[in-house]
Amino acid sequence: MVPYFRPILLTLMLSQLPSAGAALTCGNTGAGFEAWKAEFAQVARRQGVGKRGLEALAQARYATRTIAADRNQKSFKYSLEKFMQVRGADTIVAQGRKRKARNPEFYAALERQYGVPAGILIALHGMETAFGSFMGDSAVVSAITTLAYDCRRSDFFVPHALAALELVDRRAITGATKGAKHGELGHTQFLPGNALAYGVDATGDGRVDFYDMTDALASTANFLRQKGWRPGQGYQPGEPNFAVIKQWNAASVYQQAIAIMARRIDS
C-alpha cells in the first residue's frame, strides 16, 4: 500500500498561500466568479498546477447548490437521537455487520496495517455515502472552487481548491468528476487536500482511486492513523481515539454517532 502524496509535500506546496490568497477577491454571489477564476489561475500556476488542472479550473461553474447547502446544514444541529434517526444509524449498523461478515480479512488487513478497527471504517463508509451507493452529484472542481471564492470560508477552501486541481493533474479525478456539494469525493468523501495528503494506492495499480472501495478505505484508515489513532485503544467519548474522530468531522453529534455505530458493528 503506497501513500499517494506525502503530507509534508502538501504543506510545502501550500506554504505560500497566505500572501497569495490575500490577493484574491472573494464574493458572495456568482457575479465575480469568472474574474476570481482568472486571479486564482495565476495563484495555481505559481503553485505548480499544470495544464489539465488549469483547464478544469477554466471550465468550473459557480455552484449555486453548493452555496445553498453551505448555508443550510441543519442536521448537525439535531440532538444525537434525532441525528442518528435521520442519518439511518440502525440501517448502517445492520448493513455494516453484514459487510464485515462477508469480507472479514479485508478489514482485518486494514487493522493490521493501520490499527483502525473495522467498525470505525464501516461506520464512516455508511454515514458518508451509504457504502458507496451515493457519492454525490456535484462537480468536485466547480463545488470546491465556488467555496474557495465564497467569502464565508475562503481561507479554508483555497488550499482544497488547489489540491483539487492537482488531483486533476495527477488523473485521480477530472473536471467532470462528481462528489458531494462541498467538494468531497469518493466512498468516504475526502476533501481534496486530504485526498492528496493521505491517499493510498491499496490496489497497487499505480493510481489512487477514491471511487474504488479498497483505495478509499485504506486512505481513510491512513488518515486516522496519521492523525493520531492509537492501535488497540478505545474510541468512545473520553477514550484516546475519540479525539481522532474529531479530526474527520468537527460536529459533536457526528462524532458521537460514529463512535456508537462503530461499537455496535464491532460487538
Side-chain angles (χ1 to χ4, degrees):
M1 296 183 182
V2 181
Y4 184 57
F5 194 81
R6 295 179 186 278
I8 190 169
L9 295 181
L10 180 64
T11 301
L12 290 171
M13 184 181 82
L14 304 180
S15 63
Q16 300 177 38
L17 278 183
S19 59
L24 294 169
T25 305
C26 68
N28 293 311
T29 71
F33 186 58
E34 292 301 316
W36 177 90
K37 285 199 311 182
E39 295 178 9
F40 190 58
Q42 296 179 28
V43 174
R45 286 191 190 93
R46 289 197 295 271
Q47 296 297 321
V49 172
K51 180 180 178 181
R52 283 191 296 271
L54 293 171
E55 287 176 350
L57 173 62
Q59 294 165 8
R61 297 291 178 262
Y62 184 75
T64 55
R65 291 192 306 151
T66 286
I67 295 300
D70 193 53
R71 303 287 190 269
N72 190 33
Q73 300 186 60
K74 290 182 179 179
S75 67
F76 293 128
K77 299 177 183 179
Y78 291 147
S79 68
L80 176 59
E81 182 180 4
K82 178 69 171 178
F83 180 83
M84 293 186 70
Q85 178 185 0
V86 168
R87 300 298 285 265
D90 288 344
T91 299
I92 291 171
V93 170
Q95 293 184 4
R97 286 172 171 167
K98 291 177 182 177
R99 296 177 76 86
K100 182 179 177 181
R102 281 199 305 266
N103 201 359
E105 181 51 33
F106 171 70
Y107 295 104
L110 288 175
E111 184 166 8
R112 286 194 298 270
Q113 179 82 13
Y114 300 103
V116 181
I120 288 290
L121 299 176
I122 293 170
L124 288 171
H125 193 194
M127 178 75 83
E128 294 291 347
T129 64
F131 305 111
S133 64
F134 181 71
M135 291 186 271
D137 57 5
S138 299
V140 169
V141 173
S142 289
I144 204 73
T145 53
T146 295
L147 291 167
Y149 159 72
D150 187 63
C151 291
R152 182 167 177 255
R153 289 190 286 168
S154 57
D155 287 347
F156 176 80
F157 283 107
V158 162
H160 289 293
L162 280 171
L165 302 184
E166 178 68 17
L167 287 171
V168 174
D169 276 341
R170 291 170 175 265
R171 302 181 188 274
I173 62 173
T174 71
T177 296
K178 298 294 181 66
K181 289 183 175 63
H182 282 75
E184 305 100 324
L185 53 98
H187 278 266
T188 54
Q189 303 287 269
F190 269 81
L191 279 168
N194 291 334
L196 272 179
Y198 303 104
V200 173
D201 174 16
T203 61
D205 65 357
R207 174 177 175 267
V208 176
D209 181 2
F210 294 93
Y211 295 84
D212 173 87
M213 190 187 78
T214 299
D215 282 3
L217 292 189
S219 298
T220 304
N222 184 47
F223 173 95
L224 295 170
R225 183 61 185 271
Q226 296 300 325
K227 291 294 186 179
W229 192 275
R230 301 182 191 177
Q233 299 295 306
Y235 52 74
Q236 296 303 305
E239 296 179 329
N241 288 321
F242 186 73
V244 185
I245 301 174
K246 295 180 181 181
Q247 297 292 318
W248 185 269
N249 189 297
S252 175
V253 69
Y254 182 104
Q255 298 155 13
Q256 295 175 70
I258 290 297
I260 291 169
M261 290 189 296
R263 180 177 59 195
R264 290 172 62 191
I265 292 167
D266 279 335
S267 63

